[in-house]
Amino acid sequence: MKSPRQPAVRHGIPLRTIVPNAVTALALCSGLFGIRFGIGGEWEKAAIAIIIAAVLDGLDGRIARLLNGQSRFGAELDSLSDVTAFGVAPAIIIYLWVLQPLEPGSLLRREWIDWGWIAVLAHAACCALRLARFNANIDRKDQPHKSAGYLTGVPAPAGAGLIFLPLYWFIWTGDDSFRHPGLVAPWTALVAFLMISSLATYSWGSLRLRSGLRLGALVVIALVAAALASNPWPVLSIAGVLYLIVIPFSIMSYAKIRRQRATPAPAGSSAAE
């Protein structure tokens, strides 16, 4: 008597896991292109390359969930891509843009290159530390910020956008005061601190939109997208400032949720349920 035929075992990696990883790899390559443009002094192209990397970084996770293609490999690749595209690449671009010595014989420039190099090192290192903290906690169930739909600190793509604010303003206005090392170096260090801070910041999961505002929000998004395509630098500058303004509100919002969690439930409520 013949034994029932066993189904053939399919070897290899499912295509649904390759697609999001390919998008992550494209984000990594876009960050490296930003470095290339920065070496050539093409600052607008360098900034656009990092923006494209941020867009791709926002898509890869959603594509993975849509295709049910999440994997540990993809999570690790995403972190490595983020360190390069939003930590190392922006730091090198800012360094080449303003913090490298323009006059090697000048004592002032030598002083600024020391502080400037420390600032960009802090940005790259803090981005790596932030992502290492995220990976270390990825399987932990006790994450108060995540359980409430918030992030801990400024995420890496937002940090890259914030570090470029002086560059955006310089391209937009042509004002050389935005290119002063005394402004750029401390600002770079501040953004590095925001990335590794324990501040609660909004994530997409923490934002809620009333049903009556849905159509209006779509119109606003379409207008912003059109403005970004036609004249990106004012839009990016305003977006960065608005993000900074929103941070105190996210901190207060999370503090309210934490107080609600700490408040004991009224007596008899569990019995009624």
Side-chain angles (χ1 to χ4, degrees):
M1 181 178 179
K2 294 183 178 179
S3 59
R5 198 173 174 186
Q6 297 294 330
V9 178
R10 302 180 65 183
H11 299 281
I13 302 174
L15 183 61
R16 66 175 183 273
T17 64
I18 296 295
V19 175
N21 292 337
V23 176
T24 303
L26 289 175
L28 170 63
C29 294
S30 186
L32 294 175
F33 267 105
I35 297 176
R36 176 188 175 185
F37 291 133
I39 293 173
E42 300 176 274
W43 310 120
E44 295 188 15
K45 291 182 179 180
I48 290 173
I50 303 302
I51 294 169
I52 293 174
V55 173
L56 293 173
D57 181 72
L59 291 176
D60 59 1
R62 288 164 177 79
I63 293 174
R65 288 188 291 271
L66 181 65
L67 299 178
N68 193 24
Q70 301 99 319
S71 65
R72 188 75 186 195
F73 174 84
E76 296 296 336
L77 178 62
D78 184 70
S79 293
L80 292 173
S81 173
D82 287 356
V83 170
T84 303
F86 309 126
V88 176
I92 292 177
I93 293 169
I94 289 295
Y95 174 73
L96 294 173
W97 176 52
V98 68
L99 296 179
Q100 66 173 334
L102 300 180
E103 301 174 11
S106 170
L107 179 62
L108 177 64
R109 293 307 304 179
R110 285 180 178 176
E111 179 183 353
W112 277 118
I113 181 56
D114 290 339
W115 289 106
W117 183 240
I118 291 172
V120 297
L121 279 179
H123 178 85
C126 288
C127 184
L129 290 172
R130 171 188 169 76
L131 292 165
R133 178 178 65 184
F134 175 82
N135 289 346
N137 295 330
I138 196 168
D139 294 324
R140 285 184 56 186
K141 296 182 179 179
D142 182 20
Q143 296 188 59
H145 287 170
K146 185 177 180 180
S147 63
Y150 290 78
L151 300 173
T152 302
V154 171
L162 289 178
I163 196 181
F164 278 157
L165 268 182
L167 177 60
Y168 297 155
W169 290 335
F170 170 75
I171 297 174
W172 178 18
T173 65
D175 188 350
D176 283 333
S177 61
F178 293 118
R179 200 176 182 180
H180 195 280
L183 168 68
V184 178
W187 175 249
T188 301
L190 175 61
V191 173
F193 166 76
L194 291 175
M195 285 196 295
I196 62 168
S197 69
S198 298
L199 301 176
T201 57
Y202 285 124
S203 69
W204 291 111
S206 63
L207 298 177
R208 294 291 185 270
L209 189 65
R210 296 178 182 176
S211 58
L213 300 177
R214 187 175 303 169
L215 292 179
L218 292 175
V219 172
V220 171
I221 292 172
L223 292 176
V224 170
L228 187 62
S230 60
N231 199 359
W233 311 116
V235 177
L236 292 170
S237 301
I238 294 171
V241 172
L242 290 177
Y243 184 84
L244 291 172
I245 293 173
V246 166
I247 290 178
F249 292 96
S250 66
I251 296 172
M252 291 186 292
S253 176
Y254 176 72
K256 181 179 178 181
I257 293 176
R258 189 169 62 178
R259 287 194 300 268
Q260 292 174 349
R261 288 178 171 180
T263 303
S269 60
S270 59
E273 294 174 355

